[in-house]
Amino acid sequence: MIWSPAPYPWPDGRRAAACFSVDVDALSPYLWATRDARPDTIAVPEHRMAGMRRGLSRMTDMLARLDVRGSFFVPAVVARENPGLLPGLVERGHEVALHGDWHEQVGDISDQQFTDALEASVEVFVAQTGQRPTGFRSPAWEMTPHMLRELRRLDLWDSSLMGDDVPYDIEGVTELPVRWDIDDAIFFKFLGAGDRAPRSHLEIGEGWSSELSSARRHGTLFMMTVHDWICGRPARIDMLEDLWREIVDSPDIWVATCGDLARHHRGLTERPRHALTQLPVHSSKGSSDD
Ligand SMILES: [Zn+2]
C-alpha cells in the first residue's frame, strides 16, 4: 500500500507557504574549522565578512521593500562578536533563532557538548533581545536523536531536516523542513582551490522560480535558505528580489516566518507526524565499500 497523505492545510485556504530564512554564519564555520590551528591567511575571513559589512543590510533593505519578515539563524559566537546584530534584526521585525554556539559540526561534538552549546546560545539570545528564542537550525543540517530530545525538552521547533515537503512532527518536535536545492550555498559558495565554480544567478533564479511554481501546484512549503555573505552580492540580491516579488504578489502563497509556521502547525489537530525511521540491521555485519 502506498501512503497517501491529505493535502497540508495552510491557513485561509492558501495553496502553499514560503519562508525566507537566512543563516548568518559570518566567520563561525571558519572559526570552528580552524579552532585547533588557525592559519595566517586572511582571504576566507575577509570574504565571509563581506556579508556583515554589506550583504546583510542589502538583504534586510530588500526584505523591507518587499514587506517580508525573515527568519535569521545566528550562531551565538556571531551574536557575541556583533552585539548589535540580534537587536537590529528584531527591531526590523525579523525573527531570530538558534544556530549553534560556534557553528559546531554535529559529528565533531559529544551529546553533552551539544547540550552545553544549545543552553549557552539560549542565554546569549535572552541577554541580547530580552526574548527566549523559539527555534533552532542545526549547522550543516545534521541531527541526532539526542539533539531532537534536547529540542523537545526546551520546547524549540527545528528547521534542519528534509523528511517531508510540509511541516511535520518528529519525536515530538515541530520540524520545518529545509531543502538543499533551495539553499544558495551549494550553487554559489566558492572559497577558491578545490571548490566547484559558482553557478550563474540567472540559471539558479530560473530553477528556484520553477520550484516555486511546483510548490504552489503540490501545496508544499518553499523554505528558502540563503547566507548574507553569499547571496548579499548585488546580482544575487536582484535575482532574489525578483523571485520574492513574485511570491508576495501571489495571494495563494502564505509568506510566513518559521515561528509563524510552527505556531500554525501546532494548532492543527490533524497534522503530519513521523516517527524516527527504525533502520533494519543487515545480518552480515562486515563492512564493504562497494
Ligand atoms: Zn550555518
Side-chain angles (χ1 to χ4, degrees), residues 193-207:
D195 280 0
R196 204 180 46 183
R199 304 269 284 273
S200 150
H201 62 279
L202 298 174
E203 175 203 357
I204 302 307
E206 208 172 294

Side-chain angles (χ1 to χ4, degrees), residues 86 90 94-98 115 118-136 149-157 259 263 266:
L86 294 181
V90 171
H94 300 299
E95 169 179 58
V96 291
L98 305 163
T115 297
L118 187 65
E119 289 179 346
S121 312
V122 170
E123 271 179 39
V124 170
F125 275 59
V126 170
Q128 292 193 348
T129 69
Q131 293 164 17
R132 200 179 168 282
T134 62
F136 170 81
R149 281 192 295 275
E150 289 298 85
L151 297 180
R152 184 176 180 173
R153 179 174 67 83
L154 296 179
D155 194 26
L156 296 164
W157 48 257
R263 267 188 303 278
R266 288 171 178 178

Side-chain angles (χ1 to χ4, degrees), residues 23-26 28-29 48 73 75 99 103 105 137-141 225 227:
D23 292 358
V24 191
D25 292 338
S28 62
R48 286 183 163 278
F73 294 87
H99 194 43
H103 205 271
Q105 298 284 308
R137 171 171 285 167
S138 173
W141 293 347
T225 304
H227 300 72

Side-chain angles (χ1 to χ4, degrees), residues 51-264:
M52 299 303 288
R53 292 172 185 159
R54 208 166 286 271
L56 191 61
S57 68
R58 222 175 244 142
M59 209 165 263
T60 52
D61 287 351
M62 175 196 79
L63 291 175
R65 286 192 294 276
L66 293 164
D67 198 20
V68 166
R69 293 173 61 225
S71 297
F72 289 75
F73 294 87
V74 184
V77 66
V78 177
R80 283 193 300 269
E81 293 292 305
N82 304 275
L85 176 62
L86 294 181
L89 289 168
V90 171
E91 197 183 282
R92 284 170 177 73
H94 300 299
E95 169 179 58
V96 291
L98 305 163
H99 194 43
D101 187 347
W102 287 71
H103 205 271
E104 299 85 358
Q105 298 284 308
V106 172
D108 296 344
I109 55 170
S110 66
D111 285 355
Q112 187 58 49
Q113 284 172 310
F114 171 76
T115 297
D116 293 346
L118 187 65
E119 289 179 346
S121 312
V122 170
E123 271 179 39
V124 170
F125 275 59
V126 170
Q128 292 193 348
T129 69
Q131 293 164 17
R132 200 179 168 282
T134 62
F136 170 81
R137 171 171 285 167
S138 173
W141 293 347
E142 191 47 275
M143 183 64 65
T144 66
H146 170 77
M147 291 167 69
L148 281 179
R149 281 192 295 275
E150 289 298 85
L151 297 180
R152 184 176 180 173
R153 179 174 67 83
L154 296 179
D155 194 26
L156 296 164
W157 48 257
D158 179 62
S159 181
S160 316
L161 298 173
M162 295 174 221
D164 205 333
D165 298 317
V166 293
Y168 63 101
D169 289 12
I170 182 156
E171 301 297 299
V173 175
T174 300
E175 179 61 46
L176 311 167
V178 290
R179 286 274 302 274
W180 280 118
D181 40 12
I182 332 176
D183 176 306
D184 60 349
I186 65 166
F187 301 113
F188 299 131
K189 182 177 158 190
F190 183 77
L191 290 170
D195 280 0
R196 204 180 46 183
R199 304 269 284 273
S200 150
H201 62 279
L202 298 174
E203 175 203 357
I204 302 307
E206 208 172 294
W208 285 346
S209 177
S210 159
E211 276 289 346
L212 177 68
S213 307
S214 296
R216 295 166 81 175
R217 252 176 86 196
H218 294 263
T220 56
L221 170 63
F222 183 82
M223 172 66 78
M224 166 158 279
T225 304
V226 295
H227 300 72
D228 49 278
W229 70 279
I230 298 174
C231 259
R233 302 293 189 177
R236 293 179 192 150
I237 282 285
D238 288 351
M239 175 271 280
L240 286 178
E241 185 156 358
D242 290 346
L243 177 68
W244 278 80
R245 178 61 66 196
E246 188 186 335
I247 292 174
V248 297
D249 286 347
S250 305
D252 59 340
I253 302 178
W254 182 37
V255 179
T257 63
C258 287
D260 296 334
L261 291 164
R263 267 188 303 278
H264 170 70

